[in-house]
Amino acid sequence: EEKRIREFYQSRGLDRVTQPSSDDTVGGDPMGLPYSTFDHSRAHYFRYDEHVSLCLEKQSSSKDKSKAVLQHKYVRCSVRAQIRHLRRVLCHRLGLPPQHVQILFNNEPLPDHMTMKQLWLSRWFGKPAPLLLHYSIKDKRR
């Protein structure tokens, strides 16, 4: 059992939480609470990152008869993700080239370099999740 516990913690890059003895509080928590140290060098870069929930809806227009609508419109991603990444995923799911898809917030196109955190803080702060974004599909003849 001890071997399985040790392998579990090692596979995740964690040190096992131990109860410090009363005379072994040097370098630990002065309150004597259990603690663990986390080795960031072996951790996954985005696993412990903040996340944002998005709702991607197709912008409706009277002339648009396209069937390109997402089946799963809710997305959860890292706050470090950029609009360009979201657009690529959207294009892949819809089977369209990237130049035909545009991501909008309040009918305003969003720049590719904007991160989800910038978008959330500048335009959605204080509102309930999920962040509502729209996408439009440009006419292929243009």
Side-chain angles (χ1 to χ4, degrees):
E1 186 65 29
E2 279 296 316
K3 182 183 174 189
R4 285 183 54 233
I5 292 171
R6 196 170 36 254
E7 288 173 356
F8 172 83
Y9 282 101
Q10 286 175 351
S11 70
R12 287 161 176 75
L14 301 171
D15 290 339
R16 190 167 173 193
V17 177
T18 58
Q19 295 285 341
S21 63
S22 59
D23 58 343
D24 189 26
T25 57
V26 178
D29 188 0
M31 299 291 288
L33 297 173
Y35 68 99
S36 67
T37 58
F38 185 76
D39 183 10
H40 288 279
S41 66
R42 294 188 297 170
H44 188 274
Y45 188 64
F46 290 105
R47 183 173 292 162
Y48 302 101
D49 197 8
E50 293 177 279
H51 289 91
V52 62
S53 297
L54 306 171
C55 179
L56 293 169
E57 291 187 352
K58 188 171 191 304
Q59 186 179 37
S60 60
S61 64
S62 58
K63 64 180 179 176
D64 188 17
K65 306 277 191 255
S66 172
K67 299 283 184 191
V69 177
L70 285 177
Q71 290 181 349
H72 303 288
K73 64 181 183 176
Y74 294 99
V75 179
R76 185 174 175 208
C77 64
S78 169
V79 292
R80 297 179 189 184
Q82 297 178 344
I83 295 295
R84 89 178 81 237
H85 302 132
L86 191 59
R87 199 161 58 100
R88 281 185 197 158
V89 169
L90 190 59
C91 291
H92 179 72
R93 286 187 179 177
L94 296 173
L96 295 169
Q99 62 269 21
H100 292 296
V101 176
Q102 192 172 34
I103 296 183
L104 310 157
F105 180 83
N106 285 343
N107 292 326
E108 176 189 331
L110 295 171
D112 275 349
H113 60 82
M114 180 178 267
T115 65
M116 294 299 123
K117 187 160 192 161
Q118 290 172 327
L119 178 62
W120 184 276
L121 292 175
S122 65
R123 302 185 183 173
W124 200 260
F125 188 76
K127 296 180 185 174
L131 168 62
L132 180 62
L133 296 176
H134 289 91
Y135 63 93
S136 66
I137 299 172
K138 298 178 191 173
D139 189 11
K140 294 177 178 130
R141 291 183 293 260
R142 289 184 199 170

